[in-house]
Every structure is written in C-alpha cells, then in structure tokens.
Amino acid sequence: MADGRDAAHEVLAGVLQIRDERLQVMLWQRAKEPALHRWSLPRGWLAADEDVEASIRRQLAEKVDVHKLSHVEQLSVFSSPGRVPDRRVIATAFLCLVPADVDPEVPADTRWFPVDDLPATAFDHEEIVLVARDRLRAKLSYTNIGFALAPAEFTVSELRGIYSAALGYQVAATNLQRVLSRRGVLEPTGRTVPAGRSGGRPPALFRFTSRDLQVTDPFAVFRPPT
Amino acid sequence: MADGRDAAHEVLAGVLQIRDERLQVMLWQRAKEPALHRWSLPRGWLAADEDVEASIRRQLAEKVDVHKLSHVEQLSVFSSPGRVPDRRVIATAFLCLVPADVDPEVPADTRWFPVDDLPATAFDHEEIVLVARDRLRAKLSYTNIGFALAPAEFTVSELRGIYSAALGYQVAATNLQRVLSRRGVLEPTGRTVPAGRSGGRPPALFRFTSRDLQVTDPFAVFRPPT
DNA sequence: GAGGTTTTCGCCTTATAATCGAAAACGTGC
DNA sequence: GCACGTTTTCGATTATAAGGCGAAAACCTC
C-alpha cells in the first residue's frame, strides 16, 4: 500500500573482526535465488515482539555465540525500493564487533573476507559493509571503541597491530599508547607477559579502562567551560 | 506475523532551528487519540515507491517549504514493540535543519519549542528530539554543520550566537572564528555590514566555504601519513 | 658476559586551541 | 572637529595535544 503498512523489515549484521592482521567481515553464501551463490550478510526478519537490536542478536545467535560480540550498534536504514528484487524490504543494518582473540565457530556456508577484498555480494550488502567499515574507522579516532576489537588484556604491540589493521595503514605504537593513555581509556595492568621466548624485553600488559563506548570530545572551543 | 512482513513503517522529522537565541524544534499538536493534545514530530507513512529520505522530504513538504531545509540526515530507527499503542510501528527518525534567518510558514497546529523545555510529547518523541539535539551538538564540534544553522552570510558575532544557542553554553567569538578559519570551513566575503546604527566597528561578513557536510578528522595518530 | 631483539621512556618539535589586551573602525555628543 | 563609548578585529602569548626519534631497559641466545 502507499502508506507503508505492509513493508517487510529485515535486520542485517556487519560482523567485523581483526583476523590475520586484516579487518574482515562475516559473510554466508546464498544457496537459493535470488542472488544465488552470492555472499550475504547475516540477516533475518524482525519479529513482532522485539526491537531491531534484540532481533539482530537473535539472528546472530544462529551463526555465532552472541556472547562473543563485544559491541553492537545501529548503522543506518537501507530502504531503496529496488534494493531487493520482487518485493519491498526495509533493512536496519548493524555494526557488530568481535574481539581479535576469539575464533567463533560458524556454519559451513559462512566465511570471513577482508573488507577491502570482498567477493560478489548479494543485493546492496557490499555498500553496507563499507558503511560499517567507515563507521568503525571513524570511531577509532574519537572513541574508545578499540576495546571491542582487542582482547581483554594486550600488549602495546598487539594493540598497534589491531589499530593498523582496522584503519588500513600503519600507526605508531609509542604515540598510540600515549594518546590513549592521556585520554584515560588505556591503563596498565601492572603485569607483564611471562617473559617467554620472544627474545626481547617482556612487554607490559594493558587493558581498556571501560568496556562501554565513550566519546572523547577533542575541541575545547566547543567544550563547556570547566 | 513473526517475520516482520507486516510492520508499518513511519518517518519522523526532528526539525531544528535557532530561534530567539535558542535551539528550537518544530512540533504539532495532535487532535485525535491516541496521545490526544500531545505534541508530535512531523511524520508520515513510507510509500511504496520512495526510500526513507524521499519520504521525510515529502512529509515535511506539507508542513514547510522543503527548499528551506539546509540539511537532512538519518538519525536512528526506533522500534520498541510498545512505542505506539495498539499496533506495531517502526520509525526512522531524521535530523533536519533550517537556517536561522528564515521563518517558514507553518500550519496553525504547529509551533516551535526550545529543545530544553519541551511540552508533553506524544509517544517516544521526546527521546527522539533529544537524540537529534545531541547529534547536532556533537557534529558542531567536528564537522562544518554550522552552515546549516547560519544564514548564507553572517558576522562573527552572529555565528557566535548561533553556536552558543545550539550548544547551550557561551563560546568565545575570537576563537570560534580562528578555529573554523584554520579548518578551512569559514572564509570572509570581503564585504562588511553597511555600517548602520550599531555604534561600533562595522563587522565583516563571512560565509561557509561549503554547504555540504564535511568532517574534519582531528587526530593525526589515526590519520594516514601524508 | 657480549651481542641481538623488543619494549619503554624521555626529550624535543610540531600542530591546534584558548586567553588576553591593544588597535581599528565605527557612532554620538559636545 | 574631537574626545568618548562601542563593537570588531588582530597580534602576542600561553596552554594542550600529538608526532618523531633515539637512548635506556629488560629480556633472549650463544
């Protein structure tokens, strides 16, 4: 109808994780038309008794252990009339993150792909992956969202690797540590790596001070006088 | 159904403008149940042949001259099962901005309210207004979104008033000018105000260099090496 | 214990933002 | 016309945040 009362509503998950030093996204291969054999984001229909966030968590539970998700945030609505053939489907897309130190079990039709080297995707899913990627990259700059990509504890080198992979270019370890420390999002645990076989000085272990998303407002002009 | 195929989809507009030195939002008073006499955001049903942004522009055209909108951006989806009584309605909310120097004609049931002093609103519309307000305030810090609140040309004092009203606290004019100039988002027109009856030095006129949204990434750690 | 490796830290430079006060450019009143 | 009040503008200075670099620390192996 012309009043939108019959629009089907789906939820889509862009699940991102640092794997093999690259930012990768979880996709599954369709076995049916339309978009046969193309790669799709995890998805599902919104149910009557849930909001979109509850729905995306329920859909993902069929793919991975939802407890391994370290962050879930709404991205955007995709609603072009022709984005899915034959019928009208409105999609709410999410950005979901998994820490780098877990390897969730996934179904046989599901694989990880680097976000900068995607296979042929179904419908508008490539665009959605890129929106998810860009949102993550932007938030790495002005929030503590690194906590969702990193393990609970990590060395500065490991964190550098994570940030470099997510951003797509090398960042300096020394500066990364100081910037995040000054902002108060990073703190030392006081312990170091057991001094195994690295051949160098055993690195100190760090953790994020908070595992909730916090923004750091950098511009003092626009900050209220303290 | 349990698959979301019958969810009604509405679009909601948080239309913000600086009026009387305050950040205000456009609301209209409902004349029917539910939420009789409560104040509501402009809204409408998504039609079959339009995406959500086209829809919000169409809905707003019934309230104001859409050409006066200087910025439209998607905010978020609101989808709690009980957000509207009796039936399931999914909402995509938008942030819409109007420059401070226009006073659009609005219907008789429509008024402007300061976002920090709202009347009794319908449904979850108060929450949506606050999300719109916070999004605007955040973007004032790291984008050139001021162009959407300011007239085409303005003095530094006027711009200071606009930023102060939008942010809810006083900002320093001298610093505002230099920060925005350095970022390259502000430029002088070369002309000054006709030297009327101000009693002081006639202020220079400025304009924003672009009327498209541009973000300024402040953190060089996270910036690729140039 | 000498030499290689990785991490950590201090020093210095650069970039950006904030404060402050003086000078500029206008009105008004005498 | 000129002193005075007003508002804007601009330069000088300070404060804060970020980036680069090399030396020192803390481990390993031989």
PDB file of all heavy atoms in Angstrom, chain B residues 77-89:
ATOM      1  N   VAL B  77      16.745   4.299  14.058  1.00  0.00           N
ATOM      2  CA  VAL B  77      15.461   3.601  13.977  1.00  0.00           C
ATOM      3  C   VAL B  77      14.929   3.402  15.386  1.00  0.00           C
ATOM      4  O   VAL B  77      15.680   3.018  16.282  1.00  0.00           O
ATOM      5  CB  VAL B  77      15.633   2.231  13.294  1.00  0.00           C
ATOM      6  CG1 VAL B  77      14.340   1.425  13.385  1.00  0.00           C
ATOM      7  CG2 VAL B  77      16.040   2.421  11.851  1.00  0.00           C
ATOM      8  N   PHE B  78      13.668   3.673  15.564  1.00  0.00           N
ATOM      9  CA  PHE B  78      13.022   3.432  16.859  1.00  0.00           C
ATOM     10  C   PHE B  78      11.985   2.339  16.655  1.00  0.00           C
ATOM     11  O   PHE B  78      11.081   2.476  15.832  1.00  0.00           O
ATOM     12  CB  PHE B  78      12.404   4.720  17.392  1.00  0.00           C
ATOM     13  CG  PHE B  78      13.448   5.744  17.744  1.00  0.00           C
ATOM     14  CD1 PHE B  78      13.987   6.574  16.768  1.00  0.00           C
ATOM     15  CD2 PHE B  78      13.929   5.840  19.040  1.00  0.00           C
ATOM     16  CE1 PHE B  78      14.975   7.496  17.092  1.00  0.00           C
ATOM     17  CE2 PHE B  78      14.910   6.756  19.370  1.00  0.00           C
ATOM     18  CZ  PHE B  78      15.439   7.587  18.402  1.00  0.00           C
ATOM     19  N   SER B  79      12.154   1.271  17.402  1.00  0.00           N
ATOM     20  CA  SER B  79      11.397   0.056  17.061  1.00  0.00           C
ATOM     21  C   SER B  79      10.902  -0.720  18.265  1.00  0.00           C
ATOM     22  O   SER B  79      10.576  -1.898  18.136  1.00  0.00           O
ATOM     23  CB  SER B  79      12.294  -0.865  16.221  1.00  0.00           C
ATOM     24  OG  SER B  79      13.468  -1.203  16.947  1.00  0.00           O
ATOM     25  N   SER B  80      10.842  -0.095  19.439  1.00  0.00           N
ATOM     26  CA  SER B  80      10.287  -0.828  20.578  1.00  0.00           C
ATOM     27  C   SER B  80       8.871  -1.280  20.241  1.00  0.00           C
ATOM     28  O   SER B  80       8.091  -0.515  19.686  1.00  0.00           O
ATOM     29  CB  SER B  80      10.230   0.067  21.811  1.00  0.00           C
ATOM     30  OG  SER B  80      11.510   0.511  22.143  1.00  0.00           O
ATOM     31  N   PRO B  81       8.537  -2.543  20.570  1.00  0.00           N
ATOM     32  CA  PRO B  81       7.214  -3.054  20.212  1.00  0.00           C
ATOM     33  C   PRO B  81       6.079  -2.192  20.766  1.00  0.00           C
ATOM     34  O   PRO B  81       5.035  -2.062  20.148  1.00  0.00           O
ATOM     35  CB  PRO B  81       7.207  -4.454  20.831  1.00  0.00           C
ATOM     36  CG  PRO B  81       8.645  -4.839  20.889  1.00  0.00           C
ATOM     37  CD  PRO B  81       9.391  -3.577  21.167  1.00  0.00           C
ATOM     38  N   GLY B  82       6.291  -1.559  21.920  1.00  0.00           N
ATOM     39  CA  GLY B  82       5.206  -0.792  22.509  1.00  0.00           C
ATOM     40  C   GLY B  82       5.304   0.707  22.338  1.00  0.00           C
ATOM     41  O   GLY B  82       4.628   1.454  23.034  1.00  0.00           O
ATOM     42  N   ARG B  83       6.119   1.172  21.391  1.00  0.00           N
ATOM     43  CA  ARG B  83       6.339   2.616  21.325  1.00  0.00           C
ATOM     44  C   ARG B  83       5.097   3.391  20.871  1.00  0.00           C
ATOM     45  O   ARG B  83       4.944   4.566  21.175  1.00  0.00           O
ATOM     46  CB  ARG B  83       7.535   2.954  20.425  1.00  0.00           C
ATOM     47  CG  ARG B  83       7.441   2.504  19.001  1.00  0.00           C
ATOM     48  CD  ARG B  83       8.625   3.027  18.179  1.00  0.00           C
ATOM     49  NE  ARG B  83       8.561   4.472  18.012  1.00  0.00           N
ATOM     50  CZ  ARG B  83       7.879   5.069  17.028  1.00  0.00           C
ATOM     51  NH1 ARG B  83       7.187   4.350  16.160  1.00  0.00           N
ATOM     52  NH2 ARG B  83       7.864   6.382  16.934  1.00  0.00           N
ATOM     53  N   VAL B  84       4.237   2.718  20.130  1.00  0.00           N
ATOM     54  CA  VAL B  84       2.949   3.299  19.758  1.00  0.00           C
ATOM     55  C   VAL B  84       1.880   2.306  20.192  1.00  0.00           C
ATOM     56  O   VAL B  84       2.036   1.107  19.941  1.00  0.00           O
ATOM     57  CB  VAL B  84       2.876   3.540  18.232  1.00  0.00           C
ATOM     58  CG1 VAL B  84       1.462   3.888  17.807  1.00  0.00           C
ATOM     59  CG2 VAL B  84       3.858   4.615  17.815  1.00  0.00           C
ATOM     60  N   PRO B  85       0.810   2.751  20.839  1.00  0.00           N
ATOM     61  CA  PRO B  85      -0.186   1.790  21.336  1.00  0.00           C
ATOM     62  C   PRO B  85      -0.920   1.075  20.209  1.00  0.00           C
ATOM     63  O   PRO B  85      -1.009   1.572  19.089  1.00  0.00           O
ATOM     64  CB  PRO B  85      -1.152   2.670  22.145  1.00  0.00           C
ATOM     65  CG  PRO B  85      -0.901   4.065  21.697  1.00  0.00           C
ATOM     66  CD  PRO B  85       0.526   4.132  21.270  1.00  0.00           C
ATOM     67  N   ASP B  86      -1.405  -0.106  20.541  1.00  0.00           N
ATOM     68  CA  ASP B  86      -2.326  -0.868  19.693  1.00  0.00           C
ATOM     69  C   ASP B  86      -1.690  -1.570  18.503  1.00  0.00           C
ATOM     70  O   ASP B  86      -2.110  -2.656  18.135  1.00  0.00           O
ATOM     71  CB  ASP B  86      -3.484   0.005  19.176  1.00  0.00           C
ATOM     72  CG  ASP B  86      -4.291   0.571  20.337  1.00  0.00           C
ATOM     73  OD1 ASP B  86      -4.318  -0.097  21.400  1.00  0.00           O
ATOM     74  OD2 ASP B  86      -4.848   1.669  20.195  1.00  0.00           O
ATOM     75  N   ARG B  87      -0.696  -0.962  17.866  1.00  0.00           N
ATOM     76  CA  ARG B  87      -0.131  -1.685  16.735  1.00  0.00           C
ATOM     77  C   ARG B  87       1.349  -1.394  16.579  1.00  0.00           C
ATOM     78  O   ARG B  87       1.875  -0.472  17.164  1.00  0.00           O
ATOM     79  CB  ARG B  87      -0.857  -1.343  15.448  1.00  0.00           C
ATOM     80  CG  ARG B  87      -0.728   0.104  15.082  1.00  0.00           C
ATOM     81  CD  ARG B  87      -1.860   0.468  14.154  1.00  0.00           C
ATOM     82  NE  ARG B  87      -1.645   1.786  13.606  1.00  0.00           N
ATOM     83  CZ  ARG B  87      -1.257   2.007  12.359  1.00  0.00           C
ATOM     84  NH1 ARG B  87      -1.038   1.006  11.550  1.00  0.00           N
ATOM     85  NH2 ARG B  87      -1.105   3.223  11.910  1.00  0.00           N
ATOM     86  N   ARG B  88       1.989  -2.220  15.764  1.00  0.00           N
ATOM     87  CA  ARG B  88       3.424  -2.154  15.589  1.00  0.00           C
ATOM     88  C   ARG B  88       3.787  -1.103  14.556  1.00  0.00           C
ATOM     89  O   ARG B  88       3.349  -1.187  13.406  1.00  0.00           O
ATOM     90  CB  ARG B  88       3.954  -3.526  15.129  1.00  0.00           C
ATOM     91  CG  ARG B  88       5.455  -3.613  15.077  1.00  0.00           C
ATOM     92  CD  ARG B  88       6.004  -3.549  16.476  1.00  0.00           C
ATOM     93  NE  ARG B  88       7.439  -3.341  16.542  1.00  0.00           N
ATOM     94  CZ  ARG B  88       8.349  -4.300  16.484  1.00  0.00           C
ATOM     95  NH1 ARG B  88       7.969  -5.538  16.328  1.00  0.00           N
ATOM     96  NH2 ARG B  88       9.625  -4.013  16.598  1.00  0.00           N
ATOM     97  N   VAL B  89       4.577  -0.118  14.973  1.00  0.00           N
ATOM     98  CA  VAL B  89       5.049   0.901  14.038  1.00  0.00           C
ATOM     99  C   VAL B  89       6.550   1.090  14.212  1.00  0.00           C
ATOM    100  O   VAL B  89       7.022   1.439  15.287  1.00  0.00           O
ATOM    101  CB  VAL B  89       4.342   2.258  14.257  1.00  0.00           C
ATOM    102  CG1 VAL B  89       4.848   3.274  13.238  1.00  0.00           C
ATOM    103  CG2 VAL B  89       2.831   2.110  14.162  1.00  0.00           C
TER     104      VAL B  89
END
